[in-house]
Every structure is written in C-alpha cells, then in structure tokens.
Amino acid sequence: MYSRIAGTGRCLPERVVTNADLEHVVDTTDEWIRSRTGIERRHIAADGQTTADLAEGAARAAMAAAGVTAADIDFIVVGTTTPDYVFPNVGCIVQDRLGAHGCPAFSVEAACSGFIYALSIADRFIASGGARCALVIGAETLSRMTDWSDRTTCVLFGDGAGAVVLKPAEEPGILSCHLGADGAYRDLLYHPYGVSRQQRPGETAGPYIHMKGNEVFKVAVKTLETIVDETLAANHLERSAIDWLIPHQANIRIIQATARRLDMPLEKVVLTLQDHGNTSAASVPMALDVAVRDGRVQRGQLLLLEAFGGGFTWGSSLIRF
Ligand code: UT7
C-alpha cells in the first residue's frame, strides 16, 4: 500500500507587504532584498488572524480539490512553529472547525521542515493501513515572532498555510521521504522563548527569530545537496528523471544551488518566494499548490520536495503526483 496526494490547497492572509513598504520600516532597499534573497513581497496576517485560521483555509481548499468531506478525514497532522496555543495543538483546532471529530490530530515542530516531517508521518500511517484519508498541513504566522526593527530578519519572513489530502493507492504516490536533523547547530537559528526554559541572567535575546544568516546559508546549501543526492540514490533515479523541484522558499541563491546540483534549469523549479517570502513549514505545500493549480504540475509527474530549517532539521520527499 502507498499513499498519494489526492488534493492540494493554500491560504494566504490578504495583506501584502512589499519590499518598498519595508524601506519605511527598516534601513533596507528593494534592491538589496531582491538581489540577496529573491523576495519581492510577503503576506502578513491581520490582527487576530492566527495560524489555525490559515491552516483551516488551506485544509478546506485541499479537501475540496480532493473531493473529500470532514467525515472522510481520519488523521490530521500540522507542521508549525507558530501555534495558536501551547495546547491544544493546531491540529485539534482545525479538526474541531472542520467537524472531523475523533480522529488523531497533532502538530509537529520541526521549523521549516515541518511539512516534510508531517508528510512523512502521514505517509507511513497510510502505507501501514493506520489511516485512510489524512490531512497534512504546513501553517505559520512567522510575523508574530519577527523583530520588525531587525533588518537582517524582518525582510525575510511571511505568513501562510498549505495543505494536502493523502489517500491510499496501489501505485506510488509517495516514493520515499528522507528526514534528518542536527541539534548542534541550534544557535545559528532559534527563538529563545519557550515554556520550560527561563532566560539566564544577562541574556538579552528578545522573543524573536534570531539567525546568523550567512552561516545558515552555507550549511543549508551543503545539506540540501546531500539530501537530494540521497533521495535520488535511494530510488535508483537519474537527476533527469525529476520533472519539478519544489523547494523550501528561503533564498533564491540556496534554491539555485540545489537546482544546479540536480542539473535542472530554473524553469523546472517552482518558485514562490518572490510572492510569499519565507513561510517556514507552509512554503513547500503552498508552492506545490500554486504549481498544481496553475497547471504546471500534472498527474504522473515526478516531484522532489525538500526543506531545511531551524534545529537544524531537513527533509525531502520524492512523489509521483
Ligand atoms: O528558512 C530556514 C533557513 N534559513 C535560511 O536558509 C536563510 C539563509 N540565509 C540567507 O538567506 C542569507 O544569509 C540572508 C538573506 C539572510 C543574508 O544574506 P547574506 O548575503 O548572507 O548577507 P549578510 O548577512 O552577509 O549581510 C551582508 C550585508 C551586511 O552589511 P556589512 O556588514 O557587509 O556592511 C548586513 O548588515 O548586508 C547587510 N544587510 C542588509 N542591508 C540592507 C543585512 N540585511 C540587510 C537588509 N537591507 N535587509
């Protein structure tokens, strides 16, 4: 038994903040942001709009595309690092709103790799017969933990949610998922405020995303090269077999490096960072949904999804769509 993607969806806040808008907020320029990151604009949640709101919107769109109702859903997993509450988890909130009561619902906290981690878990449940219709969501409101006075981070992030419905199939489907992590790098990209840990005397780090961008960049490029090689080798595939690369949307230069490794022209890479910025766990499912809905991604094609983020965590998934 395999799992296959039966439908995709996304939900973005209405408000768009352009690079030009940010020129009035911090000492930056549209030119710097575009040339260093590829980002042109990002969506930012309205006051009171939460990660669960966006997750619900993406879930409803994916369910409509898959032709399933709440009664069909028997498994919900959400990748997020910006939950509405510590608990209940975002999956439970979405489950209640959809009226899919009773099925397991939980969140996975793996930063930008959260959706790939969630997809991998749901895939294994379906493949083993433990679920028959899974909702897999990546959803974030990173704007809530962004320091809007720090030009090195605030120009990068955005809010949004993407989702897929996974169903059983006799043919793959999801061919393989590959996950990894290395907590030794945790100081390069982190948010210092949790529930259990208290600030130590003298610590000044505020409740925001802290990132040593340049160092993260280097490890991201190397790790993503390794994981795409590993994914192809595990499936005995040549690089030319991949129809679409659907990468985490952190930086155009990181994406270009991965595409070069795959010997792929950028025309075969789904890019949304110009419109969405870096939306962490939401970026890969939103990019998938964009390319499905605009007709680029077709049934039967081979897709390589990958992500890298805080932890560090990373992951990839090879999918016959
Ligand atoms: O999604 C999870 C994983 N995250 C990532 O993968 C992000 C990885 N890192 C990156 O994407 C890039 O490192 C950044 C986009 C964050 C930064 O680009 P960079 O080319 O590594 O720039 P930098 O940090 O080396 O900074 C270069 C210069 C510095 O000025 P000096 O010291 O050379 O005078 C910065 O102060 O650019 C300056 N700078 C800015 N200038 C204008 C930093 N941010 C800005 C800004 N506007 N927004």
Side-chain angles (χ1 to χ4, degrees), residues 89-304:
N89 72 70
V90 173
C92 287
I93 300 169
V94 171
Q95 186 215 48
D96 180 47
R97 300 228 190 124
L98 296 176
H101 298 284
C103 71
F106 61 103
S107 299
V108 175
E109 185 201 333
C112 302
S113 314
F115 175 77
I116 302 278
Y117 269 60
L119 186 70
S120 163
I121 295 165
D123 169 54
R124 282 155 168 85
F125 265 85
I126 292 210
S128 64
R132 292 200 56 81
C133 188
L135 197 46
V136 187
I137 305 169
E140 303 279 13
T141 44
L142 292 183
S143 62
R144 304 279 191 248
M145 57 179 193
T146 298
D147 179 354
W148 288 100
S149 67
D150 175 10
R151 70 174 183 171
T152 69
T153 52
C154 77
V155 301
L156 305 174
F157 301 113
D159 301 332
V164 303
V165 170
L166 276 193
K167 294 185 82 171
E170 284 180 10
E171 304 277 310
I174 296 189
L175 290 148
S176 67
C177 293
H178 305 261
L179 307 179
D182 191 342
Y185 290 106
R186 62 188 179 278
D187 292 342
L188 296 187
L189 177 52
Y190 68 102
H191 182 294
Y193 283 57
V195 176
S196 156
R197 183 185 169 279
Q198 291 175 341
Q199 291 282 94
R200 297 194 184 104
E203 264 186 18
T204 52
Y208 310 114
I209 300 169
H210 295 260
M211 179 164 74
K212 295 193 175 113
N214 212 281
E215 290 170 63
V216 176
F217 186 99
K218 289 177 205 150
V219 185
V221 168
K222 271 184 86 86
T223 307
L224 289 168
E225 285 181 353
T226 306
I227 199 162
V228 298
D229 287 353
E230 187 187 321
T231 309
L232 290 174
N235 290 279
H236 310 291
L237 284 170
E238 297 296 324
R239 295 181 290 185
S240 57
I242 308 293
D243 291 301
W244 292 102
L245 173 64
I246 304 184
H248 172 48
Q249 311 280 324
N251 188 309
I252 186 69
R253 292 177 292 136
I254 296 176
I255 295 172
Q256 282 165 336
T258 312
R260 268 197 302 276
R261 182 68 161 208
L262 287 165
D263 208 12
M264 267 184 143
L266 269 190
E267 291 72 46
K268 291 177 75 179
V269 180
V270 179
L271 296 174
T272 53
L273 86 168
Q274 68 282 3
D275 298 322
H276 299 168
N278 180 348
T279 57
S280 184
S283 89
V284 171
M286 287 207 293
L288 173 63
D289 185 60
V290 165
V292 168
R293 285 177 193 262
D294 70 18
R296 273 178 291 172
V297 166
Q298 297 284 324
R299 285 283 170 206
Q301 289 186 325
L302 201 56
L303 318 180
L304 179 54

